[in-house]
Amino acid sequence: MASSSSVLCEDQLQCPICLEVFTDPVSTPCGHNYCMICLKELWDSSSHCQCPVCKTSFPNRPELCVNKFISAFSAPFNKSSEVPMGNNTQSQVFCEVCFEKKCAAVKSCLICMASYCKTHLEPHERVSLLKKHKLIDPVENLEDYICQKHERPLELFCRDDQMCVCQFCTEGEHKTHNTVPLEEESREKKIQLGETQAEVQQMILERLKKIEEIKHSVKLNEKTTEKGRTDFVEIFSNLMSCIERSQTELFKVMEEKQKAAERQAAEFIKELEQEITELKRRNTELEQLSHTEDHLHLLQIYPSLCSPPHTQDWTDLTITTHLNVETLMRALSQLQETLREEMDKLHKIKLKRIQQYAVDVTLDPDTAHPELILSDDGKQVTCGDKRQKVPDNPERFDHCVCVLGNEGFTSGRFYYEVQVRGTEWDLGVVRESINRKGEITYIPENGYWCVSLRNNTEYLAQDTPPVSLSLKKAPQKVGVFVDYEEGMISFYDVDAKSHIYSFTGQTFTEKLYPCFSPCLNDGGENSAPLIICPVKKSNIHL
């Protein structure tokens, strides 16, 4: 059996309820193991049978049998945890009357201040006076059970002073105090201990559940990481292929231009060599003529030799192999387009992942501008034609036609989606302490992080300074994602699965609220409401 203990460690043989090495281990139908007594007590105290770890419920209480295999592995640890007792148990109390051979005590008397074996206890069971003595289970430290002041048994408990007292104490300094028998107080304390134990066991189970959740999360993250690795490999492969194609094309063009330059140079050299041959021939003629004595001949042919033969002007001729700028720009444009396509893929992946942080947002009527009309479910807001009679509370906007969400966030990540069909609107998040009265400028310095639509076509990020947004098409549904710790607020076109704008490098120190503004009704031209939409979550996790 020693070999088994070398294979498994003690931690692997612990009951999830009592956190001790298994005693009479039993297995549930779902495969988890517990001490028999721990599981029985847990089920006895509950209205239904459920596995404490995985929460699997059993309609009928399973019959529990000791798992002999696990019991065999647990035995060495149980034995090793026992305290060696020698020939007799160290904590055993012996009779104080026995002389030759000490017998184990069966009771201790708080009046006699002695412990007795069964034989020597007999007078306490027979003699009337001794029957009145206070007997307890045998203990070594009898003085701890006696009042040090009155030398009487500690039989009562003072609830005012939270201490054990004797009968004489209740006639003195504890006379007016609330005192009860030890047994009564002990019963109540046991009930409280039971409640504390149940609470501790629940805490244990919650942590075991959290461990399972963490393990499950790790497995999901592993799958997500593998999926992300595949996606990223594909993206970078596409980029690298595009770069390689561009490089090959550029090198091909450069090589063709080099060959063209070489062909041109060869033609020029051939023409130059022909001119050199002609010039050499003329030079020879001139040399011969300069030495002739035939004056008549010289004068007759002079007109034809007095000027150099006709040749080209080679002064400004150069051979260049400059790369065509248009070719380079075309290659870079293709690379830029490929990069944009791959960035779009990344944004689509990111949008799917951040949708896992979707929260249920409803509108807060206490913050709504008097002209705003909210739906009964708190999911839609539109601007009316006239101001409504509403309390002018500090939270309410009185000039800007805005309304905030009921839900605020001070940490983590959250995401929500809004249908936008109007000609003008504002959407984003704000910090709790923003000014809500009078005219307001939407900028991060004032606690506003928003994107806006103006004049049906002008999209703006209300940054410092404002950023004009160039969108391929008008978004019908905008997703808003906030990473509190990262200091980032991002906006997405949900249908196109594309990124609109991100505020980055922000520092949040207080609660953030979703912010909505359908802008003014404009005589019915801008009557479409902003609608908070349910988010369709995929099976992708961050």
Side-chain angles (χ1 to χ4, degrees), residues 466-478:
V467 178
S468 179
L469 303 174
S470 178
L471 305 182
K472 288 186 175 182
K473 63 178 182 178
Q476 299 298 301
K477 188 184 295 183
V478 175

Side-chain angles (χ1 to χ4, degrees), residues 28-199:
T28 58
C30 55
H32 293 100
N33 303 304
Y34 307 91
C35 296
M36 178 180 285
I37 187 65
C38 294
L39 191 58
K40 288 183 67 176
E41 288 180 353
L42 183 65
W43 284 354
D44 289 342
S45 63
S46 177
S47 59
H48 62 285
C49 296
Q50 185 183 62
C51 176
V53 173
C54 67
K55 303 302 181 183
T56 299
S57 296
F58 309 112
N60 299 316
R61 184 162 178 166
E63 183 177 350
L64 300 177
C65 298
V66 175
N67 188 319
K68 295 183 179 180
F69 181 76
I70 298 178
S71 181
F73 278 100
S74 306
F77 294 104
N78 283 322
K79 291 180 180 179
S80 63
S81 63
E82 294 176 355
V83 179
M85 309 303 286
N87 294 331
N88 295 297
T89 304
Q90 284 183 334
S91 60
Q92 190 173 14
V93 179
F94 295 99
C95 177
E96 297 180 22
V97 181
C98 295
F99 287 101
E100 294 182 2
K101 183 180 179 182
K102 291 285 185 180
C103 295
V106 293
K107 290 291 180 180
S108 294
C109 178
L110 296 179
I111 304 300
C112 302
M113 292 296 289
S115 298
Y116 303 102
C117 65
K118 186 174 181 179
T119 300
H120 293 113
L121 183 65
E122 187 271 336
H124 281 75
E125 298 173 342
R126 176 173 48 82
V127 180
S128 299
L129 182 61
L130 295 180
K131 284 183 178 181
K132 298 178 181 180
H133 287 194
K134 180 69 174 179
L135 298 177
I136 62 173
D137 289 334
V139 293
E140 289 182 330
N141 51 336
L142 276 170
E143 62 276 6
D144 292 343
Y145 293 77
I146 300 298
C147 176
Q148 299 300 312
K149 184 176 181 180
H150 303 109
E151 297 184 351
R152 300 291 296 172
L154 297 170
E155 300 176 297
L156 303 170
F157 184 81
C158 176
R159 288 178 172 172
D160 292 346
D161 294 334
Q162 290 293 298
M163 61 182 296
C164 297
V165 296
C166 69
Q167 187 64 44
F168 286 177
C169 292
T170 62
E171 298 172 3
E173 57 183 304
H174 297 274
K175 185 175 183 179
T176 60
H177 292 184
N178 180 15
T179 56
V180 295
L182 291 180
E183 293 80 0
E184 180 180 339
E185 184 66 20
S186 178
R187 281 195 300 271
E188 292 196 11
K189 288 292 190 286
K190 285 182 178 180
I191 293 174
Q192 295 174 8
L193 287 173
E195 293 173 352
T196 303
Q197 184 182 13
E199 183 178 350

Side-chain angles (χ1 to χ4, degrees), residues 218-237:
V218 169
K219 290 182 180 179
L220 287 178
N221 285 338
E222 184 179 0
K223 293 180 180 178
T224 302
T225 300
E226 186 59 35
K227 178 66 168 58
R229 184 182 290 111
T230 302
D231 293 337
F232 297 153
V233 166
E234 180 183 353
I235 289 171
F236 283 108
S237 295

Side-chain angles (χ1 to χ4, degrees), residues 354 357-361 409 414-418 427-430 449 478-482 491 494 513-516 532-533 535:
I354 64 177
Y357 296 100
V359 293
D360 183 21
V361 176
F409 304 88
F414 64 93
Y415 173 83
Y416 58 96
E417 295 178 354
V418 183
L427 198 61
V429 296
V430 300
W449 294 269
V478 175
V480 184
F481 174 65
V482 179
F491 298 83
V494 177
Y513 287 88
C515 178
F516 310 83
I532 302 171
C533 305
V535 178

